[in-house]
């Protein structure tokens, strides 16, 4: 028998929002998440009414005071140890994206908690040798330790404003390069968590939301307003 693979059909993907086996093309992340809001409660649904799905609120505490947030606003963006130590290419890709973002004047929304937890000090060594760790640092992806963190719930506290948003009915989100994303595992206040590669974690952090069209929408505006 012959196994054929059409490389033109290969595309970036994520998995979620509640189980690691629920694969979603990156191009369909926005529509997948938005449709989950009003689906019956379950592995791919939150059981919200159409009116509830349109809920927005203004943060009154934490680092994002005055910011209007809606379902899918990111509480956490984490590059974790699960997937990066054995695949240096994706960590280098994350660093290169961070470099381009910083040089363009982009930044991560202040209400997003970012972190980098390599599985080995070797990761730190090659990121520093490549001159990329400093750019990750500037976006908030400083090294917090080595080993399991966010994926197993060791994420620590989220921004107080985002915690409050969750308590008021907003389905807040997380994007992480881990291998487990069962509901509330990443953090008790987070209902939607998508698993992604390290560079997509950086992209998600810059966008600040799961309800973002990564195919057509910019990740942010740079110093030149573009």
């Amino acid at each position: 028998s012959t196994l054929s693979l059409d490389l033109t059909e290969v595309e970036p993907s994520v998995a979620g929002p509640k189980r690691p086996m629920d694969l979603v093309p990156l191009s369909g992340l926005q529509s997948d998440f938005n449709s989950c809001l009003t689906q019956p409660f379950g592995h791919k649904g939150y059981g919200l009414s159409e009116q509830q799905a349109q809920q927005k609120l203004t943060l009154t505490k934490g680092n994002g005071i005055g910011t209007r947030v809606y379902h899918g606003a990111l509480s956490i963006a984490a590059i974790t140890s699960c997937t990066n130590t054995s695949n240096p290419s994706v960590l280098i890709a994350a660093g290169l994206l961070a470099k381009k973002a910083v040089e363009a004047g982009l930044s991560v929304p202040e209400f997003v908690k970012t972190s980098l937890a390599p599985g080995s000090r070797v990761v730190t060594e090659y990121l520093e040798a490549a001159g990329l760790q400093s750019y990750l640092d500037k976006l908030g992806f400083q090294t917090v330790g080595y080993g399991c963190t966010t994926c197993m719930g060791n994420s620590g506290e989220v921004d107080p404003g985002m915690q409050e948003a969750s308590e008021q009915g907003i389905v807040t989100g997380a994007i992480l390069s881990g291998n487990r994303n069962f509901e509330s595992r990443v953090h008790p206040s987070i209902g939607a968590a998508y698993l992604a590669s390290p560079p997509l974690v950086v992209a998600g952090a810059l966008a600040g939301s799961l309800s973002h069209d990564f195919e057509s929408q910019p990740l942010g505006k740079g110093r030149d307003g573009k």
Side-chain angles (χ1 to χ4, degrees):
S1 61
T2 302
L3 178 64
S4 299
L5 175 63
D6 185 349
L7 293 179
T8 64
E9 296 180 357
V10 177
E11 60 180 317
S13 62
V14 296
K18 300 183 182 183
R19 302 189 304 177
M21 67 281 284
D22 294 327
L23 192 68
V24 179
L26 181 64
S27 60
L29 172 58
Q30 183 183 48
S31 60
D32 181 77
F33 173 73
N34 289 340
S35 67
C36 285
L37 291 174
T38 54
Q39 291 296 313
F41 186 83
H43 297 314
K44 293 286 285 187
Y46 294 93
L48 301 183
S49 67
E50 291 292 342
Q51 183 177 1
Q52 290 172 324
Q54 300 303 314
Q55 181 184 3
K56 297 178 176 65
L57 60 81
T58 301
L59 299 181
T60 59
K61 60 176 67 174
N63 294 324
I65 293 177
T67 303
R68 292 278 285 175
V69 297
Y70 44 89
H71 296 296
L74 277 189
S75 281
I76 288 176
I79 300 175
T80 64
S81 65
C82 308
T83 60
N84 61 35
T85 306
S86 60
N87 190 353
S89 64
V90 292
L91 261 295
I92 294 296
L96 289 172
L97 177 56
K99 181 177 185 292
K100 291 292 187 180
V102 170
E103 290 175 344
L106 301 183
S107 61
V108 174
E110 293 183 332
F111 56 81
V112 181
K113 182 174 186 176
T114 50
S115 64
L116 167 62
S120 167
R121 295 182 184 276
V122 172
V123 176
T124 299
E125 292 177 4
Y126 65 65
L127 285 174
E128 290 180 344
L132 298 175
Q133 183 61 58
S134 61
Y135 294 102
L136 288 163
D137 290 344
K138 289 177 181 177
L139 292 184
F141 288 98
Q142 293 97 353
T143 301
V144 296
Y146 297 89
C148 296
T149 52
T150 304
C151 182
M152 62 179 291
N154 289 344
S155 53
E157 296 181 356
V158 297
D159 182 83
M162 295 301 288
Q163 175 72 41
E164 183 178 64
S166 174
E167 293 169 355
Q168 294 187 20
I170 295 292
V171 179
T172 58
I175 188 165
L176 64 151
S177 65
N179 54 30
R180 295 291 185 273
N181 60 337
F182 302 112
E183 191 171 15
S184 297
R185 177 183 173 114
V186 172
H187 189 276
S189 72
I190 293 175
Y194 283 84
L195 306 180
S197 66
L200 292 183
V201 172
V202 175
L206 291 165
S209 175
L210 297 174
S211 185
H212 184 89
D213 187 344
F214 288 90
E215 294 289 301
S216 63
Q217 291 180 295
L219 296 179
K221 290 186 178 181
R223 297 186 190 90
D224 58 2
K226 297 180 180 180

